[in-house]
Amino acid sequence: MPTTLDTRDGLRHKTLMIFAAATDENTLFVFPSMAAAIAHCEAIDVEDGGWRFWNGSGSALVAEFTAPVHRAGLMAGGGSYRLVTATDKPTLAASLGDIDHLDANPRFATLSDVGDHLAAVGVAPRRED
């Protein structure tokens, strides 16, 4: 069953796959659903800029926090977010050159395979200004 993606324009889209890049290691992860991506990518790391997200067609997503991350000294935890479309962020096709590795997944063997998928779904590369 597809996961519903809330968007800022109030539209609802279905997606079966989420791409997420861990910024600390420039590795692209492929998740079967938004729920799987959110479960893997901890809110504190997302809030600190440790992850970038795209939907299955390569359009950018950003985290919209529904509960803040709580910080007290060296302790931090909690927080929750959802992913919403971000028209002001670069597509995955435009960002692939910045990614060095692809985490093992059942869908794509190489970053080139991801690029081929994005070309097939027709999302044009759009660079961040």
Side-chain angles (χ1 to χ4, degrees), residues 35-95:
I38 290 171
H40 182 85
C41 305
E42 294 182 5
I44 189 167
D45 296 328
V46 172
E47 184 181 70
D48 288 344
W51 290 95
R52 296 181 347 194
F53 299 96
W54 299 269
N55 67 18
S57 62
S59 296
L61 304 171
V62 294
E64 183 177 87
F65 281 83
T66 55
V69 172
H70 300 284
R71 298 173 189 266
L74 297 176
M75 303 287 291
S80 61
Y81 63 94
R82 64 184 181 161
L83 298 173
V84 297
T85 55
T87 57
D88 62 332
K89 301 289 183 191
T91 64
L92 179 54
S95 302

Side-chain angles (χ1 to χ4, degrees), residues 66-121:
T66 55
V69 172
H70 300 284
R71 298 173 189 266
L74 297 176
M75 303 287 291
S80 61
Y81 63 94
R82 64 184 181 161
L83 298 173
V84 297
T85 55
T87 57
D88 62 332
K89 301 289 183 191
T91 64
L92 179 54
S95 302
L96 269 180
D98 300 329
I99 297 170
D100 298 327
H101 310 284
L102 177 65
D103 190 62
N105 69 85
R107 182 103 191 237
F108 305 103
T110 67
L111 288 170
S112 290
D113 292 343
V114 174
D116 292 345
H117 162 76
L118 297 172
V121 297

Side-chain angles (χ1 to χ4, degrees), residues 20-44:
T23 60
D24 61 343
E25 55 192 47
N26 290 326
T27 298
L28 186 66
F29 291 75
V30 181
F31 296 101
S33 67
M34 187 183 310
I38 290 171
H40 182 85
C41 305
E42 294 182 5
I44 189 167

